[in-house]
């Protein structure tokens, strides 16, 4: 049989490249239960997004009636995952790196002799626990930093505590340091008699394109020695 001009000369490859129409799925083609699930999901996401935006706005907004009436609920939602502040922005962005360091006076239970450790960088421990960690804990990220901010803001320029908050901040930062000494650095806390804190402050250097000359020498501010008692130890040990 002689082929005519009307015969199909396309091969298998040509037919494979042909566009095959597909049927699009529309919401109306779904069953009623499926449409309800989709509608509820979209509605829930919209409500959550609106609540999140409103809570974040009210948290950073000046004092207002809504915060006075519903402040605990809003702060309970924001802390600690969604905490907001203005420290990344003008007019006063953070320009310093502050590290918290501690050293301990330890008594040898065998002969009663005492020795003082080197300065131990607690902030470096937290940074090491955060770096390269896909989901670092809030303890590693915020506990020590917030405790030190609490301490500084509740003490005057002479280092004296401002009322009960100042005393509580001393206990708080002491307990955090003892946890780091025991869990991260392996010290026997029953042999720790006293600890001393200091802050190491280093200004952030200017960017490479700036002509500003910034002194990046680290400055230290030492606090007084603090005696460790049983209430400061994890679990409130009664061995003392």
């Amino acid at each position: 049989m002689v082929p005519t001009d009307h015969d199909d000369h396309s091969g298998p490859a040509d037919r494979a490249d042909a566009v095959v129409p597909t049927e699009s799925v529309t919401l109306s083609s779904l069953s009623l239960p499926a449409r309800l699930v989709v509608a509820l999901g979209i509605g829930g996401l919209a409500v959550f997004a609106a609540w999140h935006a409103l809570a974040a706005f009210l948290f950073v907004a000046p004092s207002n009636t809504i915060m006075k009436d519903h402040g605990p609920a809003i702060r309970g939602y924001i802390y600690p995952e969604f905490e907001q502040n203005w420290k990344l922005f003008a007019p006063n962005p953070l320009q310093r790196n502050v590290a918290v360091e501690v050293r301990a006076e330890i008594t040898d239970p065998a002969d009663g002799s005492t020795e003082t450790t080197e300065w131990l960088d607690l902030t470096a421990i937290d940074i090491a626990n955060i770096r390269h960690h896909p989901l670092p804990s809030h303890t590693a990220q915020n506990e020590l930093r917030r405790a030190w901010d609490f301490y500084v803001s509740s003490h005057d320029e002479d280092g004296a505590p401002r009322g009960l908050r100042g005393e509580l901040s001393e206990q708080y930062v002491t307990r955090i340091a003892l946890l780091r000494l025991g869990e991260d650095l392996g010290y026997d806390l029953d042999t720790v008699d006293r600890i001393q804190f200091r802050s190491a402050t280093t200004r952030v250097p200017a960017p490479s394109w700036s002509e500003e000359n910034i002194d990046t020498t680290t400055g230290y501010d030492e606090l007084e020695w603090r005696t460790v008692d049983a209430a400061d130890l994890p679990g409130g040990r009664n061995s003392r």
Side-chain angles (χ1 to χ4, degrees):
M1 179 178 181
V2 179
T4 65
D5 293 339
H6 300 289
D7 292 335
D8 186 6
H9 298 284
S10 61
D14 295 329
R15 289 192 296 271
D17 293 337
V19 177
V20 179
T22 58
E23 181 181 355
S24 60
V25 178
T26 62
L27 185 62
S28 60
S29 65
L30 298 176
S31 64
L32 179 59
R35 279 182 282 175
L36 289 175
V37 170
V38 172
L40 289 174
I42 295 175
L45 288 175
V47 171
F48 173 77
W51 159 248
H52 178 80
L54 178 62
F57 171 77
L58 291 174
F59 182 80
V60 298
S63 179
N64 55 80
T65 303
I66 298 178
M67 278 299 292
K68 289 179 181 179
D69 294 339
H70 305 286
I74 294 174
R75 285 188 290 270
Y77 169 75
I78 291 294
Y79 287 121
E81 287 84 1
F82 307 118
E83 179 183 358
Q84 307 286 315
N85 60 59
W86 298 104
K87 290 184 179 181
L88 291 177
F89 306 98
N92 188 28
L94 290 175
Q95 299 177 346
R96 304 176 302 167
N97 288 319
V98 180
V100 181
E101 300 180 355
V102 69
R103 62 179 177 177
E105 186 179 86
I106 296 175
T107 299
D108 188 338
D111 56 14
S113 61
T114 60
E115 65 172 333
T116 302
T117 68
E118 299 293 331
W119 285 105
L120 308 169
D121 193 339
L122 302 181
T123 301
I125 295 175
D126 286 355
I127 292 175
N129 290 331
I130 294 171
R131 183 173 287 121
H132 307 307
H133 196 303
L135 295 172
S137 69
H138 286 290
T139 299
Q141 295 181 75
N142 299 317
E143 185 179 53
L144 178 63
R145 177 181 61 84
R146 294 294 298 273
W148 191 252
D149 288 344
F150 179 32
Y151 179 92
V152 172
S153 64
S154 58
H155 284 70
D156 59 26
E157 295 180 354
D158 297 326
R162 294 191 179 103
L164 180 60
R165 285 180 59 84
E167 296 175 3
L168 289 175
S169 70
E170 293 178 357
Q171 297 173 7
Y172 186 38
V173 75
T174 296
R175 293 175 183 179
I176 292 174
L178 289 172
L179 283 173
R180 299 288 196 274
L181 287 172
E183 296 179 357
D184 295 289
L185 298 174
Y187 285 93
D188 182 359
L189 298 184
D190 290 330
T191 65
V192 177
D193 292 324
R194 298 193 303 167
I195 61 174
Q196 183 183 26
F197 290 97
R198 76 175 182 183
S199 61
T201 304
T202 308
R203 294 192 66 188
V204 176
S208 58
W209 46 261
S210 173
E211 297 181 355
E212 185 178 5
N213 185 18
I214 295 179
D215 183 7
T216 57
T217 303
T218 301
Y220 299 94
D221 184 16
E222 294 185 10
L223 306 184
E224 298 292 332
W225 282 92
R226 177 179 174 84
T227 300
V228 176
D229 57 33
D232 295 324
L233 299 176
R237 299 176 187 172
N238 297 317
S239 58
R240 299 190 176 206

